[in-house]
Amino acid sequence: MPGRGLWQAMREEEEAIGYLDRVLEDEDEEEPRTPSTPGLGSGFLATEKGERDSGKSLEMRKLVLSDFLASEEIYINQLEALLLPMKPLKATATTSQPVLTTQQIETIFYKIQDLYEIHKEFYDSLYPKVQNWDSSVVLGHLFQKLASQLGVYKAFVDNYKIALQTAEKCSQSNNQFQKISEELKVKSPKDSKESHTSVTMEALLYKPIDRVTRSTLVLHDLLKHTPSDHPDYPLLQDALRISQNFLSSINEDIDPRRTAVTTPKGETRQLVKDGFLVEMAEGTRKLRHVFLFTDVLLCAKLKKTAVGKHQQYDCKWYMPLAELVFPSLEELDPCPHVHAMPDHDLEDMKMKISSMKSEVQKEKANKGQSRAMERLKKKMFDNEFWLLLNSPSIPFRIHHRNGKSYLFLLSSDYERAEWREAIQRLQKKDLQTFVLSSVELQVLTGSCFKLRTVHNLPVTSNKDDDEPPGMYGFLHVIVHSAKGFKQSANLYCTLEVDSFGYFVSKAKTRVFRDTTEPQWNEEFEIELEGSQCLRILCYEKCYDKTKLNKDDNEIVDRIVGKGQVQLDPQTVQTKNWHMDVIEMNGIKVEFSMKFTSRDMSLKRTPSKKQTGVFGVKISVVTKRERSKVPYIVRQCVEEVEKRGIDEVGIYRISGVATDIQALKAAFDSNNKDILVMLSDMDINAIAGTLKLYFRELPEPLLTDRLYPAFMQGIALSDLSAKENCMMHLLRSLPDPNLITFLFLLEHLKRVAEKEPVNKMSLHNLATVFGPTLLRPSEAESKGNLSLASDIWSHDVMAQVQVLLYYLQHSPITFAELKRNALFFSTDV
């Protein structure tokens, strides 16, 4: 093939092999079933077909071998490139100024000379046989001999990691060696236009491991096209068996971030990223394990295997990165409708899981039966799996150039950005498109199990007993400022924390307009539920309404930076603020954190001064104000209903803590400008102020005294008995508490009527307010202190259910309750 590069020739040969394979398969399947031609017996036809097949097989064998011979020449040149600096390095080792010591040289270049000699001899023996090709050529013994020398490869593999480490340390300590190792010259094949290519020493040291796999694949293809009665057949079979056994024995020893197969350009294919994602396949959510390699994205599922059998992945689809595109918003078709699980179902499941965690801990403490424990863990895993499958809602679409697309659902914008960035980084390289043969796909998919970096689903049941359970309580975060922006923009940050195995967005700063150094200085209180990590994402706000994201109907804001920090209890659990910096793409975001445990955050301390409203008994406030409902409650409710009832996540999204503290101070001092402040303040801060007021009451709105009775009443099975009991308990509340509770109840119902817009159902609102309005007294909770992970335990579930009962009830009026009081005793 004069005038053409070897790579192009190899590619054409691969395509020819693939084409011939398909032709042969088609002919086998579609053999004409015509009657015998007169004068010719069926035996003659069979002989003719056999000769034709035999001729095709011989042609296929030659193509396979030609391809392999070309790659063998490249491999020998690569080994030669490694040996080239070895001789001068050895010569300087005995001088007064050695680049490397003799020991270091022997470690780095261990067995390279032996491998070179083995393959040079193999190439010199194989080359004339392929050049002078005919049907009588026998070469199985050459492959058998090559396979018998795999012991040299075993020695190389055993030394491989230490060779890499030594080369890396020497590069760091010696500039001369660093220059040598960064640019080794590999001689190009004879018919290539270029004289040489530059390759790093690290890449060349991996070539021998890669070569074993290439040889094994060739043996597989060669055997496929060798007639079973050919003299080569048993020899190739033996060589393949030895190679496969050797390959499986070394897979665990090599670098787990690499695969043992090559890309179409002959480079090592590496695993870059992997993880569990939810795919929408035929309208159904499916959990997939997605693997991003150097040049291909592979979507797989774990096969169900019998006990004791090795687990394997089944490839659902793959896409070469050269064919993968991310269309602009204008080019995108509308996203197929995805059924979103109602929030209350997700919250119910969270509470079930938390309750089960408590039961598991109790079983452990009581050293319960292992069978009962296993059943409990199995049930908990099923529930956690359901939550992981049904909670993600952020769309992430993968498109093929030909129009085919796949849809994943993620729980976090951070995660979506990470996958997109990782793919786009790889696409900056000169990638080629390709089609994997069935054997190549099998090898690649088979390698996934050993290569994966994410081994288990992020569920509690997969955690070891000694793993930290995460933090439960409230994380206070002040987002101070950011530096490092090259041009002015409209900037804001969002905060995410992990909860129940996935990340959730918890807070958002205001947009700082047209600046390179935003100064937010905003404080947030974030609830932690077994959290171990805080993420901060920095966005540039887009005000162009033509740029709508068709996937979720929101304006797309560009992520300009993102970073995360592990939540270390020892660092965070102090009374003082802990200041930190997250660096992201050249941007530095400054923030401070401190943590409050749940029991401390909900500890109710009566106010020492009786002049304010926070921390003061509700009866004192209403008497002083001569009102039925405290002024703070009425004003906050009025403002939320005026301009916050359509706000997504109202009462769930954290308000800025500094704004909330300013409102608290204004209400406490009876500031005459309070109405102006309310009209100017962010609506989430007003909602947060209302929640804080109820949380800081000296005792919960539904009182300490009645708490045990509420817990018993909600647990009643008989609906009539439950109705009588729950209404009786309301009548038993002091009038200011009851009237305020009924006022709040009607407000929350009005908020829930806007659920299609604000995404806050009755259940969501009950989850937010239940544990604040209803809580055991301090004395009772001290007697029942359990693990921090029990915060979403049976008591919290019941608190939510109590408020939900009243929210779902037909309207309840104070007058009607008091009228009915005549028929019931007031004793509880």
Side-chain angles (χ1 to χ4, degrees):
M1 289 170 246
R4 284 189 282 180
L6 183 66
W7 289 123
Q8 187 182 347
M10 284 171 63
R11 190 78 198 129
E12 286 173 2
E13 284 173 354
E14 282 176 12
E15 286 169 4
I17 289 168
Y19 173 74
L20 280 171
D21 269 343
R22 288 192 294 276
V23 169
L24 285 169
E25 283 167 12
D26 291 346
E27 285 184 355
D28 286 344
E29 287 169 14
E30 298 171 22
E31 189 65 22
R33 294 178 183 170
T34 53
S36 299
T37 308
L40 293 176
S42 59
F44 181 88
L45 285 174
T47 306
E48 186 185 47
K49 180 183 180 299
E51 286 173 359
R52 191 169 70 241
D53 287 351
S54 175
K56 282 174 185 169
S57 287
L58 283 169
E59 188 60 29
M60 287 294 293
R61 271 162 61 82
K62 186 184 178 184
L63 281 170
V64 171
L65 286 165
S66 299
D67 175 33
F68 182 61
L69 201 60
S71 68
E72 188 73 2
E73 183 191 349
I74 293 165
Y75 178 52
I76 290 166
N77 290 347
Q78 289 165 343
L79 293 173
E80 203 170 28
L82 273 173
L83 290 172
L84 208 59
M86 188 175 78
K87 289 171 186 174
L89 285 170
K90 273 186 176 178
T92 63
T94 53
T95 65
S96 58
Q97 290 184 313
V99 179
L100 300 181
T101 65
T102 305
Q103 182 61 48
Q104 287 169 335
I105 294 166
E106 285 176 1
T107 303
I108 294 169
F109 299 96
Y110 185 66
K111 294 293 177 186
I112 299 295
Q113 182 70 47
D114 294 345
L115 292 173
Y116 174 78
E117 287 169 6
I118 287 167
H119 282 271
K120 186 75 172 68
E121 183 190 346
F122 173 75
Y123 179 86
D124 290 345
S125 304
L126 185 62
Y127 184 80
K129 290 183 179 290
V130 176
Q131 291 298 105
N132 306 308
W133 185 257
D134 64 38
S135 58
S136 61
V137 168
V138 176
L139 39 77
H141 61 288
L142 297 179
F143 282 93
Q144 197 178 35
K145 184 180 178 182
L146 189 65
S148 70
Q149 294 170 308
L150 284 172
V152 179
Y153 275 92
K154 180 72 174 92
F156 175 85
V157 169
D158 290 343
N159 181 70
Y160 173 68
K161 282 184 185 175
I162 189 117
L164 273 188
Q165 288 165 3
T166 307
E168 191 176 347
K169 283 177 187 172
C170 292
S171 290
Q172 289 169 355
S173 59
N174 189 301
N175 288 335
Q176 235 182 317
F177 181 71
Q178 186 182 15
K179 285 178 184 175
I180 293 169
S181 63
E182 280 180 353
E183 208 167 314
L184 291 170
K185 307 294 182 190
V186 178
K187 192 165 62 180
S188 295
K190 296 165 190 169
D191 56 356
S192 174
K193 288 179 183 176
E194 296 173 358
S195 60
H196 68 267
T197 53
S198 297
V199 186
T200 65
M201 183 172 285
E202 183 192 352
L204 287 179
L205 283 172
Y206 187 73
K207 296 300 178 185
I209 292 171
D210 188 45
R211 194 64 194 163
V212 180
T213 308
R214 184 67 192 262
S215 303
T216 307
L217 284 171
V218 168
L219 280 167
H220 189 282
D221 286 341
L222 209 51
L223 201 61
K224 182 179 174 183
H225 300 293
T226 301
S228 57
D229 58 351
H230 193 284
D232 271 347
Y233 195 82
L235 302 176
L236 293 173
Q237 252 186 337
D238 189 48
L240 180 61
R241 178 186 56 78
I242 295 167
S243 298
Q244 285 177 331
N245 288 341
F246 176 74
L247 201 57
S248 62
S249 72
I250 68 162
N251 266 348
E252 292 174 6
D253 300 332
I254 61 175
D255 184 349
R257 297 284 293 177
R258 297 179 184 266
T259 69
V261 288
T262 54
T263 67
K265 291 174 74 178
E267 297 166 353
T268 304
R269 178 176 282 136
Q270 296 181 354
L271 177 66
V272 177
K273 181 178 173 62
D274 70 300
F276 291 101
L277 298 182
V278 174
E279 184 188 15
M280 283 302 295
E282 297 175 359
T284 309
R285 289 172 182 252
K286 303 283 186 184
L287 194 69
R288 305 293 195 213
H289 200 145
V290 180
F291 296 85
L292 176 61
F293 290 95
T294 319
D295 62 339
V296 64
L297 187 72
L298 186 142
C299 178
K301 67 170 270 194
L302 204 54
K303 284 183 184 177
K304 289 183 179 177
T305 51
V307 179
K309 294 275 186 183
H310 286 298
Q311 285 189 301
Q312 290 181 322
Y313 281 100
D314 178 26
C315 175
K316 302 310 292 181
W317 53 267
Y318 74 88
M319 192 184 295
L321 298 190
E323 297 291 322
L324 191 153
V325 290
F326 292 112
S328 65
L329 294 171
E330 294 79 15
E331 295 169 328
L332 274 173
D333 294 326
C335 190
H337 175 70
V338 176
H339 171 67
M341 193 59 61
D343 282 347
H344 62 84
D345 286 348
L346 298 175
E347 293 300 329
D348 275 347
M349 186 56 77
K350 286 181 185 179
M351 286 191 278
K352 278 184 189 174
I353 292 165
S354 297
S355 181
M356 285 179 187
K357 284 182 188 175
S358 299
E359 288 182 52
V360 168
Q361 294 300 335
K362 284 173 191 168
E363 283 286 329
K364 281 182 183 173
N366 299 331
K367 296 181 180 177
Q369 292 179 355
S370 58
R371 194 172 291 177
M373 177 79 86
E374 287 308 312
R375 275 201 302 269
L376 202 55
K377 281 188 173 181
K378 168 74 170 64
K379 198 171 180 184
M380 190 162 81
F381 175 84
D382 291 343
N383 287 341
E384 288 186 292
F385 183 85
W386 182 94
L387 192 62
L388 280 178
L389 198 62
N390 289 286
S391 54
S393 59
I394 297 174
F396 176 51
R397 288 205 269 176
I398 300 292
H399 296 261
H400 193 281
R401 286 190 193 280
N402 66 12
K404 174 75 175 168
S405 70
Y406 300 93
L407 173 63
F408 292 108
L409 296 174
L410 283 67
S411 63
S412 151
D413 209 12
Y414 189 104
E415 194 179 357
R416 176 165 65 174
E418 278 204 321
W419 278 100
R420 183 187 283 262
E421 286 166 13
I423 291 168
Q424 288 174 333
R425 268 196 304 272
L426 293 169
Q427 288 181 321
K428 287 178 183 174
K429 299 174 184 175
D430 180 25
L431 296 174
Q432 292 183 2
T433 187
F434 56 87
V435 177
L436 293 174
S437 70
S438 57
V439 176
E440 286 174 320
L441 184 57
Q442 191 179 349
V443 169
L444 184 59
T445 309
S447 70
C448 288
F449 187 77
K450 287 180 180 176
L451 295 170
R452 60 189 181 162
T453 60
V454 181
H455 291 80
N456 296 315
L457 290 171
V459 294
T460 311
S461 20
N462 280 339
K463 283 188 178 180
D464 295 329
D465 290 342
D466 56 353
E467 280 189 64
M471 297 174 71
Y472 292 84
F474 291 90
L475 184 70
H476 302 265
V477 182
I478 302 175
V479 182
H480 296 293
S481 59
K483 294 176 183 175
F485 296 99
K486 292 177 181 172
Q487 54 189 37
S488 293
N490 305 313
L491 304 163
Y492 69 92
C493 285
T494 64
L495 308 179
E496 294 180 354
V497 293
D498 54 321
S499 167
F500 291 89
Y502 58 93
F503 279 82
V504 182
S505 185
K506 287 282 189 177
K508 177 181 172 182
T509 68
R510 68 184 184 277
V511 178
F512 218 94
R513 295 199 175 212
D514 197 24
T515 181
T516 56
E517 292 193 4
Q519 301 284 329
W520 293 292
N521 293 313
E522 294 183 59
E523 183 183 337
F524 301 95
E525 182 185 78
I526 296 171
E527 186 173 9
L528 303 182
E529 301 166 296
S531 308
Q532 295 178 317
C533 188
L534 169 71
R535 288 173 169 176
I536 298 183
L537 293 93
C538 194
Y539 290 85
E540 181 183 350
K541 182 73 179 170
C542 172
Y543 289 103
D544 184 353
K545 292 192 177 180
T546 61
K547 293 184 177 177
L548 267 183
N549 185 338
K550 295 175 187 175
D551 282 349
D552 49 20
N553 205 32
E554 288 179 6
I555 292 172
V556 176
D557 298 334
R558 187 171 69 89
I559 295 177
V560 290
K562 58 182 177 28
Q564 60 184 15
V565 62
Q566 289 298 119
L567 296 175
D568 178 11
Q570 291 182 339
T571 307
V572 181
Q573 282 177 330
T574 59
K575 290 182 181 178
N576 302 322
W577 287 93
H578 169 71
M579 194 161 182
D580 209 338
V581 175
I582 285 183
E583 294 198 31
M584 41 176 88
N585 303 342
I587 300 160
K588 290 183 180 179
V589 175
E590 289 187 357
F591 65 100
S592 298
M593 297 184 291
K594 72 176 180 180
F595 174 76
T596 312
S597 64
R598 177 167 278 270
D599 55 320
M600 286 302 294
S601 71
L602 287 180
K603 192 175 181 180
R604 298 171 186 269
T605 3
S607 175
K608 289 177 182 175
K609 57 182 196 318
Q610 291 296 304
T611 51
V613 292
F614 281 83
V616 179
K617 285 185 176 179
I618 199 166
S619 56
V620 173
V621 173
T622 50
K623 189 175 180 181
R624 187 200 311 139
E625 293 177 353
R626 295 179 184 175
S627 62
K628 292 182 178 180
V629 175
Y631 178 71
I632 182 175
V633 176
R634 284 182 283 122
Q635 288 309 126
C636 288
V637 163
E638 184 180 322
E639 201 63 37
V640 168
E641 292 195 2
K642 188 190 297 180
R643 59 189 180 91
I645 207 156
D646 290 337
E647 185 79 12
V648 174
I650 188 70
Y651 289 120
R652 181 177 57 79
I653 300 290
S654 301
V656 178
T658 43
D659 290 348
I660 294 170
Q661 290 303 318
L663 282 172
K664 176 184 175 181
F667 277 113
D668 266 342
S669 61
N670 197 18
N671 191 316
K672 61 180 188 300
D673 295 326
I674 189 70
L675 292 177
V676 177
M677 281 182 74
L678 282 170
S679 62
D680 290 343
M681 198 66 77
D682 174 64
I683 199 64
N684 287 317
I686 294 167
T689 303
L690 181 62
K691 289 190 292 180
L692 184 67
Y693 169 73
F694 286 118
R695 201 159 76 219
E696 290 196 358
L697 283 172
E699 73 167 350
L701 190 64
L702 299 185
T703 73
D704 289 336
R705 184 177 68 91
L706 294 176
Y707 180 78
F710 275 113
M711 293 296 98
Q712 291 163 12
I714 199 65
L716 292 172
S717 302
D718 184 273
L719 295 180
S720 177
K722 182 186 280 191
E723 165 79 10
N724 289 336
C725 179
M726 298 302 276
M727 291 304 117
H728 173 53
L729 288 169
L730 284 187
R731 283 190 291 273
S732 306
L733 287 168
D735 282 2
N737 296 56
L738 175 57
I739 294 168
T740 302
F741 178 69
L742 295 177
F743 179 80
L744 179 65
L745 209 59
E746 290 311 305
H747 164 62
L748 295 179
K749 286 181 180 181
R750 287 191 289 274
V751 171
E753 284 172 5
K754 294 281 188 174
E755 183 192 351
V757 181
N758 62 33
K759 310 298 182 192
M760 293 301 288
S761 62
L762 290 174
H763 195 288
N764 287 350
L765 293 163
T767 303
V768 171
F769 279 94
T772 301
L773 303 179
L774 195 68
R775 180 166 170 77
S777 65
E778 202 175 324
E780 189 177 331
S781 58
K782 270 184 185 173
N784 292 306
L785 272 181
S786 184
L787 288 171
S789 55
D790 292 352
I791 58 158
W792 275 95
S793 62
H794 182 268
D795 262 16
V796 176
M797 288 173 71
Q799 290 157 16
V800 172
Q801 291 302 318
V802 168
L803 182 54
L804 187 60
Y805 178 85
Y806 292 123
L807 284 169
Q808 291 173 336
H809 199 281
S810 55
I812 306 165
T813 64
F814 179 78
E816 190 181 344
L817 278 171
K818 290 301 177 182
R819 267 200 313 272
N820 291 340
L822 299 171
F823 303 102
F824 295 94
S825 162
T826 55
D827 294 330
V828 178

